[in-house]
Short mmCIF file of all heavy atoms in Angstrom, two decimals:
data_model
loop_
_atom_site.label_atom_id
_atom_site.label_comp_id
_atom_site.label_asym_id
_atom_site.label_seq_id
_atom_site.Cartn_x
_atom_site.Cartn_y
_atom_site.Cartn_z
N MET A 40 3.85 -15.59 -4.08
CA MET A 40 4.61 -14.56 -4.67
C MET A 40 5.94 -14.33 -4.00
O MET A 40 6.02 -14.51 -2.74
CB MET A 40 3.73 -13.32 -4.64
CG MET A 40 2.50 -13.41 -5.44
SD MET A 40 1.68 -11.81 -5.57
CE MET A 40 2.48 -10.99 -6.86
N LYS A 41 7.03 -13.99 -4.74
CA LYS A 41 8.26 -13.68 -4.10
C LYS A 41 8.26 -12.27 -3.38
O LYS A 41 7.56 -11.42 -3.84
CB LYS A 41 9.36 -13.66 -5.21
CG LYS A 41 9.89 -14.96 -5.54
CD LYS A 41 10.98 -15.02 -6.58
CE LYS A 41 11.99 -13.96 -6.53
NZ LYS A 41 12.99 -14.16 -7.52
N LYS A 42 8.99 -12.21 -2.34
CA LYS A 42 9.11 -11.02 -1.57
C LYS A 42 10.03 -10.03 -2.56
O LYS A 42 11.06 -10.47 -2.95
CB LYS A 42 9.76 -11.10 -0.35
CG LYS A 42 8.94 -11.91 0.74
CD LYS A 42 9.44 -11.91 2.07
CE LYS A 42 8.42 -12.52 3.02
NZ LYS A 42 8.99 -12.44 4.36
N ASN A 43 9.49 -8.86 -2.87
CA ASN A 43 10.24 -7.90 -3.48
C ASN A 43 10.12 -6.48 -2.99
O ASN A 43 10.52 -5.44 -3.62
CB ASN A 43 9.88 -7.95 -4.99
CG ASN A 43 8.39 -7.57 -5.20
OD1 ASN A 43 7.66 -7.37 -4.30
ND2 ASN A 43 7.92 -7.75 -6.43
N VAL A 44 9.65 -6.38 -1.71
CA VAL A 44 9.58 -5.07 -1.09
C VAL A 44 10.39 -5.05 0.18
O VAL A 44 10.29 -5.84 1.03
CB VAL A 44 8.03 -4.82 -0.71
CG1 VAL A 44 7.96 -3.60 0.08
CG2 VAL A 44 7.14 -4.83 -1.92
N GLY A 45 11.28 -4.16 0.20
CA GLY A 45 12.30 -3.98 1.32
C GLY A 45 11.58 -3.42 2.53
O GLY A 45 10.43 -2.99 2.58
N ASN A 46 12.36 -3.37 3.67
CA ASN A 46 11.77 -2.93 4.91
C ASN A 46 11.39 -1.54 4.95
O ASN A 46 10.23 -1.28 5.42
CB ASN A 46 12.85 -3.01 6.03
CG ASN A 46 13.02 -4.48 6.38
OD1 ASN A 46 12.18 -5.31 6.22
ND2 ASN A 46 14.30 -4.83 6.89
N LEU A 47 12.14 -0.51 4.40
CA LEU A 47 11.63 0.89 4.51
C LEU A 47 10.42 1.07 3.49
O LEU A 47 9.45 1.73 3.92
CB LEU A 47 12.89 1.73 4.02
CG LEU A 47 12.55 3.39 3.89
CD1 LEU A 47 12.09 3.86 5.30
CD2 LEU A 47 13.66 4.06 3.30
N ASP A 48 10.45 0.49 2.38
CA ASP A 48 9.31 0.49 1.42
C ASP A 48 8.08 -0.14 2.01
O ASP A 48 6.99 0.43 1.97
CB ASP A 48 9.77 -0.28 0.23
CG ASP A 48 8.75 -0.02 -1.00
OD1 ASP A 48 7.88 0.81 -0.94
OD2 ASP A 48 8.97 -0.72 -2.12
N ARG A 49 8.33 -1.18 2.76
CA ARG A 49 7.15 -1.87 3.46
C ARG A 49 6.56 -0.98 4.51
O ARG A 49 5.38 -0.95 4.63
CB ARG A 49 7.65 -3.20 4.01
CG ARG A 49 6.66 -4.01 4.65
CD ARG A 49 7.30 -5.36 5.02
NE ARG A 49 6.27 -6.21 5.64
CZ ARG A 49 6.42 -6.84 6.67
NH1 ARG A 49 7.57 -6.79 7.39
NH2 ARG A 49 5.42 -7.57 7.16
N ILE A 50 7.35 -0.40 5.31
CA ILE A 50 6.91 0.47 6.42
C ILE A 50 6.13 1.66 5.85
O ILE A 50 5.11 2.07 6.26
CB ILE A 50 8.02 1.01 7.30
CG1 ILE A 50 8.60 -0.21 8.11
CG2 ILE A 50 7.58 2.12 8.20
CD1 ILE A 50 9.95 0.04 8.77
N LEU A 51 6.68 2.28 4.76
CA LEU A 51 6.02 3.39 4.14
C LEU A 51 4.69 3.07 3.49
O LEU A 51 3.73 3.78 3.63
CB LEU A 51 6.98 4.03 3.05
CG LEU A 51 8.07 4.82 3.58
CD1 LEU A 51 9.04 5.26 2.36
CD2 LEU A 51 7.64 6.02 4.28
N ARG A 52 4.59 1.82 2.92
CA ARG A 52 3.40 1.37 2.30
C ARG A 52 2.39 1.18 3.42
O ARG A 52 1.17 1.56 3.24
CB ARG A 52 3.67 0.06 1.61
CG ARG A 52 4.25 0.20 0.32
CD ARG A 52 4.63 -1.22 -0.22
NE ARG A 52 5.39 -1.10 -1.34
CZ ARG A 52 4.89 -1.23 -2.65
NH1 ARG A 52 3.57 -1.56 -2.83
NH2 ARG A 52 5.56 -1.08 -3.73
N ILE A 53 2.73 0.59 4.56
CA ILE A 53 1.76 0.39 5.61
C ILE A 53 1.30 1.60 6.18
O ILE A 53 0.08 1.88 6.49
CB ILE A 53 2.39 -0.62 6.65
CG1 ILE A 53 2.63 -2.04 6.16
CG2 ILE A 53 1.55 -0.65 7.91
CD1 ILE A 53 3.42 -2.95 7.00
N VAL A 54 2.07 2.59 6.41
CA VAL A 54 1.75 3.84 7.06
C VAL A 54 0.85 4.61 6.02
O VAL A 54 -0.29 5.09 6.46
CB VAL A 54 3.00 4.65 7.36
CG1 VAL A 54 2.64 6.08 7.70
CG2 VAL A 54 3.81 4.07 8.43
N VAL A 55 1.19 4.65 4.79
CA VAL A 55 0.33 5.41 3.79
C VAL A 55 -1.04 4.75 3.67
O VAL A 55 -2.11 5.38 3.64
CB VAL A 55 1.03 5.56 2.49
CG1 VAL A 55 0.16 5.88 1.33
CG2 VAL A 55 2.17 6.35 2.49
N GLY A 56 -1.11 3.41 3.67
CA GLY A 56 -2.23 2.56 3.56
C GLY A 56 -3.18 2.95 4.72
O GLY A 56 -4.38 3.18 4.60
N LEU A 57 -2.64 2.88 5.94
CA LEU A 57 -3.43 3.09 7.20
C LEU A 57 -3.87 4.60 7.14
O LEU A 57 -4.99 4.78 7.66
CB LEU A 57 -2.54 2.79 8.43
CG LEU A 57 -2.40 1.27 8.67
CD1 LEU A 57 -1.36 1.04 9.87
CD2 LEU A 57 -3.68 0.57 8.90
N ALA A 58 -3.07 5.46 6.75
CA ALA A 58 -3.44 6.87 6.80
C ALA A 58 -4.59 7.19 5.78
O ALA A 58 -5.63 7.84 6.19
CB ALA A 58 -2.30 7.77 6.38
N LEU A 59 -4.59 6.48 4.69
CA LEU A 59 -5.68 6.68 3.69
C LEU A 59 -7.01 6.04 4.27
O LEU A 59 -8.13 6.68 4.06
CB LEU A 59 -5.36 6.11 2.33
CG LEU A 59 -4.38 6.89 1.62
CD1 LEU A 59 -3.88 6.13 0.33
CD2 LEU A 59 -5.05 8.14 1.09
N LEU A 60 -6.92 4.85 4.83
CA LEU A 60 -8.04 4.19 5.41
C LEU A 60 -8.63 5.01 6.64
O LEU A 60 -9.89 5.13 6.80
CB LEU A 60 -7.71 2.74 5.78
CG LEU A 60 -7.51 1.82 4.59
CD1 LEU A 60 -7.13 0.49 5.15
CD2 LEU A 60 -8.78 1.71 3.73
N LEU A 61 -7.75 5.63 7.37
CA LEU A 61 -8.18 6.38 8.49
C LEU A 61 -8.93 7.63 7.90
O LEU A 61 -9.94 8.08 8.44
CB LEU A 61 -6.94 6.83 9.27
CG LEU A 61 -7.22 7.56 10.52
CD1 LEU A 61 -8.08 6.60 11.48
CD2 LEU A 61 -5.92 8.03 11.25
N GLY A 62 -8.47 8.18 6.83
CA GLY A 62 -9.09 9.35 6.26
C GLY A 62 -10.58 9.03 5.72
O GLY A 62 -11.40 9.78 5.73
N PHE A 63 -10.67 7.81 5.36
CA PHE A 63 -12.00 7.25 4.85
C PHE A 63 -12.94 7.31 5.99
O PHE A 63 -14.15 7.76 5.79
CB PHE A 63 -11.95 5.87 4.24
CG PHE A 63 -13.22 5.27 3.91
CD1 PHE A 63 -13.84 5.55 2.69
CD2 PHE A 63 -13.86 4.33 4.81
CE1 PHE A 63 -15.04 4.98 2.46
CE2 PHE A 63 -15.05 3.83 4.45
CZ PHE A 63 -15.60 4.10 3.33
N PHE A 64 -12.58 6.88 7.19
CA PHE A 64 -13.43 6.93 8.38
C PHE A 64 -13.65 8.19 8.97
O PHE A 64 -14.64 8.42 9.58
CB PHE A 64 -12.96 5.76 9.40
CG PHE A 64 -13.08 4.39 8.85
CD1 PHE A 64 -11.99 3.65 8.40
CD2 PHE A 64 -14.29 3.79 8.71
CE1 PHE A 64 -12.15 2.36 7.94
CE2 PHE A 64 -14.57 2.54 8.18
CZ PHE A 64 -13.37 1.76 7.79
N LEU A 65 -12.62 9.00 8.91
CA LEU A 65 -12.59 10.31 9.62
C LEU A 65 -13.31 11.48 8.79
O LEU A 65 -13.38 12.54 9.38
CB LEU A 65 -11.24 10.64 10.16
CG LEU A 65 -10.65 9.81 11.21
CD1 LEU A 65 -9.24 10.35 11.59
CD2 LEU A 65 -11.55 9.76 12.46
N ASN A 66 -13.48 11.20 7.54
CA ASN A 66 -14.00 12.27 6.58
C ASN A 66 -15.16 11.83 5.91
O ASN A 66 -15.22 11.62 4.78
CB ASN A 66 -12.85 12.59 5.61
CG ASN A 66 -13.06 13.90 4.91
OD1 ASN A 66 -13.98 14.64 5.21
ND2 ASN A 66 -12.21 14.32 3.97
N PRO A 67 -16.26 11.59 6.70
CA PRO A 67 -17.50 11.01 6.13
C PRO A 67 -18.16 12.02 5.09
O PRO A 67 -19.05 11.58 4.33
CB PRO A 67 -18.42 10.70 7.33
CG PRO A 67 -17.91 11.65 8.32
CD PRO A 67 -16.44 11.88 8.11
N GLY A 68 -18.02 13.30 5.13
CA GLY A 68 -18.56 14.23 4.20
C GLY A 68 -17.96 14.46 3.04
O GLY A 68 -18.39 15.25 2.21
N ALA A 69 -16.88 13.90 2.77
CA ALA A 69 -16.09 14.06 1.45
C ALA A 69 -16.74 13.60 0.28
O ALA A 69 -17.47 12.55 0.31
CB ALA A 69 -14.74 13.46 1.54
N SER A 70 -16.83 14.41 -0.79
CA SER A 70 -17.53 13.86 -2.08
C SER A 70 -16.93 12.68 -2.72
O SER A 70 -17.68 11.89 -3.22
CB SER A 70 -17.63 15.16 -3.02
OG SER A 70 -16.34 15.60 -3.43
N LEU A 71 -15.60 12.61 -2.64
CA LEU A 71 -14.94 11.40 -3.32
C LEU A 71 -14.42 10.55 -2.17
O LEU A 71 -13.19 10.10 -2.38
CB LEU A 71 -13.99 11.85 -4.39
CG LEU A 71 -14.53 12.66 -5.49
CD1 LEU A 71 -13.35 13.20 -6.35
CD2 LEU A 71 -15.44 11.89 -6.35
N ARG A 72 -15.13 10.36 -1.27
CA ARG A 72 -14.59 9.61 -0.15
C ARG A 72 -14.24 8.23 -0.39
O ARG A 72 -13.25 7.69 0.21
CB ARG A 72 -15.79 9.54 0.98
CG ARG A 72 -15.44 8.76 2.18
CD ARG A 72 -16.69 8.68 3.15
NE ARG A 72 -16.42 7.96 4.32
CZ ARG A 72 -17.26 7.17 4.87
NH1 ARG A 72 -18.49 7.09 4.45
NH2 ARG A 72 -17.03 6.39 5.87
N TRP A 73 -14.78 7.61 -1.37
CA TRP A 73 -14.32 6.30 -1.77
C TRP A 73 -12.91 6.14 -2.26
O TRP A 73 -12.39 4.98 -2.26
CB TRP A 73 -15.42 5.68 -2.84
CG TRP A 73 -15.51 6.54 -4.05
CD1 TRP A 73 -16.24 7.58 -4.29
CD2 TRP A 73 -14.52 6.37 -5.24
NE1 TRP A 73 -16.01 8.12 -5.61
CE2 TRP A 73 -15.08 7.34 -6.06
CE3 TRP A 73 -13.62 5.50 -5.55
CZ2 TRP A 73 -14.36 7.59 -7.38
CZ3 TRP A 73 -13.00 5.73 -6.76
CH2 TRP A 73 -13.40 6.68 -7.61
N LEU A 74 -12.38 7.19 -2.75
CA LEU A 74 -10.93 7.24 -3.17
C LEU A 74 -10.03 6.91 -2.04
O LEU A 74 -8.94 6.29 -2.24
CB LEU A 74 -10.71 8.51 -3.78
CG LEU A 74 -11.16 8.79 -5.22
CD1 LEU A 74 -10.81 10.20 -5.64
CD2 LEU A 74 -10.66 7.74 -6.22
N TYR A 75 -10.36 7.07 -0.74
CA TYR A 75 -9.57 6.73 0.40
C TYR A 75 -9.29 5.29 0.36
O TYR A 75 -8.33 4.80 0.96
CB TYR A 75 -10.17 7.30 1.65
CG TYR A 75 -9.96 8.73 1.91
CD1 TYR A 75 -11.19 9.48 2.03
CD2 TYR A 75 -8.82 9.39 2.10
CE1 TYR A 75 -11.10 10.87 2.25
CE2 TYR A 75 -8.61 10.74 2.30
CZ TYR A 75 -9.78 11.40 2.48
OH TYR A 75 -9.63 12.78 2.65
N LEU A 76 -10.30 4.51 -0.11
CA LEU A 76 -10.19 3.00 -0.13
C LEU A 76 -8.93 2.48 -0.99
O LEU A 76 -8.60 1.39 -0.81
CB LEU A 76 -11.42 2.37 -0.52
CG LEU A 76 -12.65 2.61 0.31
CD1 LEU A 76 -13.90 2.03 -0.20
CD2 LEU A 76 -12.40 2.11 1.72
N ILE A 77 -8.43 3.39 -1.85
CA ILE A 77 -7.23 2.91 -2.47
C ILE A 77 -6.05 2.55 -1.49
O ILE A 77 -5.19 1.82 -1.97
CB ILE A 77 -6.80 4.14 -3.47
CG1 ILE A 77 -7.80 4.31 -4.53
CG2 ILE A 77 -5.33 3.89 -3.95
CD1 ILE A 77 -7.56 5.38 -5.46
N GLY A 78 -6.24 3.06 -0.34
CA GLY A 78 -5.25 2.66 0.79
C GLY A 78 -5.11 1.28 1.07
O GLY A 78 -4.03 0.72 1.69
N ILE A 79 -6.16 0.50 0.64
CA ILE A 79 -6.08 -1.01 0.76
C ILE A 79 -4.86 -1.56 -0.01
O ILE A 79 -4.27 -2.45 0.47
CB ILE A 79 -7.36 -1.68 0.40
CG1 ILE A 79 -8.53 -1.20 1.34
CG2 ILE A 79 -7.28 -3.12 0.30
CD1 ILE A 79 -9.87 -1.59 0.85
N ILE A 80 -4.61 -1.07 -1.17
CA ILE A 80 -3.64 -1.57 -2.01
C ILE A 80 -2.19 -1.47 -1.36
O ILE A 80 -1.43 -2.50 -1.19
CB ILE A 80 -3.62 -1.01 -3.46
CG1 ILE A 80 -4.91 -1.29 -4.11
CG2 ILE A 80 -2.43 -1.50 -4.24
CD1 ILE A 80 -5.14 -0.52 -5.30
N PRO A 81 -1.68 -0.34 -0.91
CA PRO A 81 -0.45 -0.24 -0.34
C PRO A 81 -0.42 -0.95 0.97
O PRO A 81 0.59 -1.60 1.33
CB PRO A 81 -0.12 1.30 -0.14
CG PRO A 81 -1.36 1.99 -0.26
CD PRO A 81 -2.31 1.06 -1.16
N LEU A 82 -1.49 -0.97 1.79
CA LEU A 82 -1.46 -1.69 2.99
C LEU A 82 -1.29 -3.22 2.73
O LEU A 82 -0.51 -3.89 3.37
CB LEU A 82 -2.91 -1.51 3.71
CG LEU A 82 -3.00 -2.22 5.04
CD1 LEU A 82 -1.90 -1.64 6.06
CD2 LEU A 82 -4.37 -2.00 5.64
N VAL A 83 -2.02 -3.78 1.77
CA VAL A 83 -1.87 -5.21 1.50
C VAL A 83 -0.48 -5.62 0.96
O VAL A 83 0.13 -6.55 1.41
CB VAL A 83 -3.09 -5.76 0.63
CG1 VAL A 83 -2.82 -7.11 0.10
CG2 VAL A 83 -4.37 -5.72 1.38
N THR A 84 -0.01 -4.79 0.08
CA THR A 84 1.32 -5.08 -0.62
C THR A 84 2.37 -4.91 0.57
O THR A 84 3.40 -5.62 0.48
CB THR A 84 1.60 -4.23 -1.74
OG1 THR A 84 1.47 -2.84 -1.43
CG2 THR A 84 0.66 -4.53 -2.87
N GLY A 85 2.23 -4.05 1.48
CA GLY A 85 3.20 -3.79 2.53
C GLY A 85 3.17 -4.96 3.48
O GLY A 85 4.24 -5.48 3.92
N LEU A 86 1.97 -5.54 3.79
CA LEU A 86 1.87 -6.58 4.78
C LEU A 86 2.41 -7.97 4.03
O LEU A 86 2.87 -8.72 4.83
CB LEU A 86 0.38 -6.71 5.18
CG LEU A 86 -0.13 -5.59 6.09
CD1 LEU A 86 -1.66 -5.86 6.41
CD2 LEU A 86 0.63 -5.51 7.45
N MET A 87 2.09 -8.05 2.84
CA MET A 87 2.62 -9.17 2.14
C MET A 87 4.04 -9.16 1.69
O MET A 87 4.61 -10.32 1.28
CB MET A 87 1.69 -9.47 0.90
CG MET A 87 0.32 -9.83 1.22
SD MET A 87 -0.75 -10.11 -0.15
CE MET A 87 0.29 -10.61 -1.54
N SER A 88 4.71 -8.03 1.69
CA SER A 88 6.04 -7.83 1.33
C SER A 88 6.19 -8.20 -0.15
O SER A 88 7.23 -8.58 -0.66
CB SER A 88 7.10 -8.53 2.09
OG SER A 88 6.99 -8.12 3.38
N SER A 89 5.11 -8.03 -0.91
CA SER A 89 5.28 -8.28 -2.37
C SER A 89 4.36 -7.47 -3.13
O SER A 89 3.23 -7.30 -2.79
CB SER A 89 4.74 -9.91 -2.66
OG SER A 89 4.78 -10.13 -3.91
N CYS A 90 4.86 -6.92 -4.19
CA CYS A 90 4.17 -6.02 -5.15
C CYS A 90 4.08 -6.52 -6.51
O CYS A 90 5.07 -6.81 -7.14
CB CYS A 90 4.75 -4.58 -5.06
SG CYS A 90 3.97 -3.42 -6.17
N PRO A 91 2.76 -6.72 -6.95
CA PRO A 91 2.81 -7.31 -8.43
C PRO A 91 3.34 -6.36 -9.51
O PRO A 91 3.93 -6.82 -10.41
CB PRO A 91 1.24 -7.45 -8.56
CG PRO A 91 0.69 -7.52 -7.21
CD PRO A 91 1.50 -6.78 -6.38
N LEU A 92 3.16 -4.98 -9.26
CA LEU A 92 3.83 -4.07 -10.21
C LEU A 92 5.32 -4.19 -10.23
O LEU A 92 5.91 -3.99 -11.26
CB LEU A 92 3.30 -2.65 -9.83
CG LEU A 92 1.95 -2.26 -10.41
CD1 LEU A 92 1.54 -0.83 -10.05
CD2 LEU A 92 1.86 -2.56 -11.92
N TYR A 93 5.92 -4.38 -8.98
CA TYR A 93 7.31 -4.48 -8.98
C TYR A 93 7.74 -5.80 -9.79
O TYR A 93 8.76 -5.76 -10.41
CB TYR A 93 7.79 -4.60 -7.52
CG TYR A 93 7.94 -3.31 -6.73
CD1 TYR A 93 7.59 -2.15 -7.31
CD2 TYR A 93 8.72 -3.26 -5.55
CE1 TYR A 93 7.77 -0.94 -6.58
CE2 TYR A 93 8.88 -2.12 -4.90
CZ TYR A 93 8.44 -0.93 -5.32
OH TYR A 93 8.60 0.15 -4.75
N SER A 94 6.96 -6.85 -9.65
CA SER A 94 7.35 -8.00 -10.44
C SER A 94 7.26 -7.82 -11.80
O SER A 94 8.10 -8.30 -12.64
CB SER A 94 6.34 -9.13 -9.97
OG SER A 94 6.47 -9.50 -8.68
N ILE A 95 6.26 -7.05 -12.46
CA ILE A 95 6.08 -6.71 -13.73
C ILE A 95 7.25 -5.97 -14.29
O ILE A 95 7.81 -6.19 -15.36
CB ILE A 95 4.76 -6.10 -14.06
CG1 ILE A 95 3.65 -6.99 -13.92
CG2 ILE A 95 4.67 -5.52 -15.49
CD1 ILE A 95 2.15 -6.40 -13.82
N PHE A 96 7.68 -4.94 -13.55
CA PHE A 96 8.81 -4.07 -14.02
C PHE A 96 10.16 -4.61 -13.51
O PHE A 96 11.21 -3.95 -13.87
CB PHE A 96 8.55 -2.69 -13.51
CG PHE A 96 7.39 -2.01 -14.15
CD1 PHE A 96 6.22 -1.72 -13.42
CD2 PHE A 96 7.34 -1.81 -15.51
CE1 PHE A 96 5.17 -1.10 -13.94
CE2 PHE A 96 6.25 -1.22 -16.16
CZ PHE A 96 5.14 -0.75 -15.39
N GLY A 97 10.25 -5.55 -12.86
CA GLY A 97 11.57 -6.12 -12.46
C GLY A 97 12.25 -5.36 -11.29
O GLY A 97 13.37 -5.38 -11.22
N ILE A 98 11.46 -4.67 -10.47
CA ILE A 98 12.02 -3.96 -9.39
C ILE A 98 12.06 -4.80 -8.10
O ILE A 98 11.18 -5.56 -7.81
CB ILE A 98 11.13 -2.70 -9.17
CG1 ILE A 98 11.11 -1.80 -10.47
CG2 ILE A 98 11.72 -1.82 -7.91
CD1 ILE A 98 10.15 -0.66 -10.36
N ASN A 99 13.17 -4.69 -7.32
CA ASN A 99 13.26 -5.41 -6.13
C ASN A 99 13.95 -4.50 -5.06
O ASN A 99 15.13 -4.26 -5.21
CB ASN A 99 14.07 -6.63 -6.33
CG ASN A 99 14.07 -7.59 -5.13
OD1 ASN A 99 13.59 -7.20 -4.06
ND2 ASN A 99 14.57 -8.73 -5.20
N THR A 100 13.23 -4.09 -4.10
CA THR A 100 13.84 -3.22 -2.97
C THR A 100 14.24 -4.05 -1.72
O THR A 100 14.68 -3.51 -0.84
CB THR A 100 12.91 -2.09 -2.63
OG1 THR A 100 11.63 -2.68 -2.07
CG2 THR A 100 12.60 -1.27 -3.75
N CYS A 101 14.02 -5.39 -1.78
CA CYS A 101 14.41 -6.24 -0.73
C CYS A 101 15.85 -6.68 -0.81
O CYS A 101 16.33 -7.11 -1.80
CB CYS A 101 13.39 -7.52 -0.89
SG CYS A 101 13.48 -8.61 0.54
N LYS A 102 16.52 -6.53 0.28
CA LYS A 102 17.93 -7.04 0.37
C LYS A 102 17.95 -8.59 0.29
O LYS A 102 17.09 -9.20 0.80
CB LYS A 102 18.62 -6.61 1.63
CG LYS A 102 18.73 -5.10 1.53
CD LYS A 102 19.53 -4.57 2.95
CE LYS A 102 19.65 -3.16 2.95
NZ LYS A 102 20.33 -2.72 4.12
N LYS A 103 18.91 -9.06 -0.42
CA LYS A 103 18.95 -10.58 -0.52
C LYS A 103 19.96 -11.05 0.52
O LYS A 103 20.81 -10.54 0.96
CB LYS A 103 19.57 -10.78 -1.98
CG LYS A 103 18.48 -10.48 -2.96
CD LYS A 103 18.83 -10.97 -4.28
CE LYS A 103 17.73 -10.61 -5.21
NZ LYS A 103 17.66 -11.32 -6.38
#
């Protein structure tokens, strides 16, 4: 996949993804705890510097 996620976007995705996953482990009593696992998506797209939704909509935040 082509890189289409810029540096600031990438950092924000990684931070948000890690925060959500941290919430999953630190909040064991939550009724909808499994929703924290959504953090895997921004974490993976941030680490890969590629977002499939950006490709579909033709968005590119990466400097050329």
Side-chain angles (χ1 to χ4, degrees):
M40 295 184 88
K41 270 174 53 177
K42 290 186 177 186
N43 58 4
V44 176
N46 286 336
L47 180 61
D48 193 6
R49 184 173 181 228
I50 291 169
L51 288 173
R52 287 171 183 260
I53 292 171
V54 169
V55 168
L57 288 174
L59 285 170
L60 289 176
L61 187 63
F63 175 79
F64 292 107
L65 294 179
N66 197 4
S70 60
L71 296 176
R72 180 177 172 220
W73 58 271
L74 283 175
Y75 285 118
L76 294 177
I77 292 174
I79 293 171
I80 296 169
L82 181 62
V83 169
T84 58
L86 292 174
M87 290 177 30
S88 297
S89 180
C90 177
L92 281 178
Y93 275 14
S94 297
I95 291 170
F96 293 114
I98 300 171
N99 188 353
T100 60
C101 188
K102 292 182 182 180
K103 294 190 179 201

